[in-house]
Amino acid sequence: MILLLILASCKPPSEEWGLLSPSPQREGSAEAGKEYLLYGDYIGSGFPKELFDNFFGETTYNPLERQGESASIPYVFNQFEAPNGVEVVGGINCFGCHSSQINGQFYIGIGNAFSDYSEEGGLDATLISTLIQNTYGEDSPEWEAYRRLEEASERITPRIVTPFAGVNPAFALEEAAVQYRNPQTLRVQDDPAFTIATHPISSDVPPWWHIQKKNALYYNAIGRGDFSKLIMQICVVGVWDTRHAESIDSHFPDVLAFLESIDPPVFPGEIDLVAAKSGEEIFTSRCSSCHGTYGEVETYPNQMYSIEQIGTDPVLAESYMFETGFLEWLQDSWFAESDHAAEFVAESGYIAPP
């Protein structure tokens, strides 16, 4: 009953604002995209493989069904070769946020609502750094293959503490990761490139199958233009430079194709058809103009709505407009200026998800 009352009160705004048109996208192979997500080097930097095995041991839990040596490492990590040839293990990969379980069944593409960033934690970066330096030396290729991940971890960890479990601070993580990177070269620099937000903003993780319908990414539709460039931004944690980024980028049209190939899991339980019919009528009359229509004919409006129209929490939308230099960094960065450019447009509003 409470859910029906909420749906009944969800009236569409009286005036439409911000119709978002599609942008040309690069074509790719869904099969190749999945392969790259499972085994690729998009994390950029990582622990020397030998040290990782000794420190963490092997795991038998392999929900991604990876083959070879990757089958024995946690599914939220990837094993790959760093640009200097060192075999490393790096994470957290895309599956750390975009996969989860429902009733014991593992699904790729669903947002992970079980993550807990409510306390500052994770690996002790100082301990790991000391271990690598003592084992291989400060001038070793192993340290060079790891140090960018170490530098990013130190800056990110205190910036992504959320007020409660279940939400994800992805944008706060990226903001902290790029604060000390040159936007044009993507190389780490000594001085901060901009002032960072005073508080992390977190949200639910959207499922990958939404991307099939959308002309702009993220809740505030800030991500436009080339989607491949947008979704590869995970690389900023450990990327070496723009040459490395270009290599990673060459795989992300395939990753986008894989994301677009995913369908949501079928509801496993019984459906109350009477209640479903009543819910359909409410949704069609009250919700579909923003969230789309479903069934034999599916539509999705791709409409932005202003904060004034929908009257909801403005913090996520407005923080990237007024409180931080993150937006300017993105707009001036390699992501926005290279071939197949991404566009970053912040407006005081949101787009209703499918």
Side-chain angles (χ1 to χ4, degrees), residues 180-250:
Y180 283 83
R181 283 188 180 272
N182 181 287
Q184 281 80 43
T185 67
L186 299 184
R187 292 176 180 169
V188 176
Q189 60 187 30
D190 294 331
D191 298 321
F194 58 88
T195 301
I196 205 165
T198 56
H199 53 276
I201 297 173
S202 51
S203 64
D204 291 337
V205 180
W208 275 344
W209 44 82
H210 279 185
I211 206 170
Q212 301 170 4
K213 300 176 181 290
K214 302 189 75 174
N215 293 340
L217 299 186
Y218 318 122
Y219 291 110
N220 57 350
I222 192 174
R224 309 182 193 182
D226 187 80
F227 281 12
S228 300
K229 276 279 172 31
L230 293 169
I231 61 177
M232 70 166 283
Q233 289 178 83
I234 186 175
C235 79
V236 296
V237 174
V239 71
W240 291 42
D241 51 27
T242 53
R243 183 177 180 181
H244 187 198
E246 288 167 359
S247 173
I248 295 171
D249 173 64
S250 69

Side-chain angles (χ1 to χ4, degrees), residues 107-141:
Y107 294 99
I108 289 176
I110 193 170
N112 181 7
F114 298 102
S115 59
D116 186 355
Y117 293 91
S118 61
E119 295 182 6
E120 185 176 330
L123 298 176
D124 187 329
T126 302
L127 175 62
I128 298 295
S129 298
T130 301
L131 183 60
I132 294 175
Q133 289 175 347
N134 289 344
T135 303
Y136 302 102
E138 292 187 25
D139 297 325
S140 66

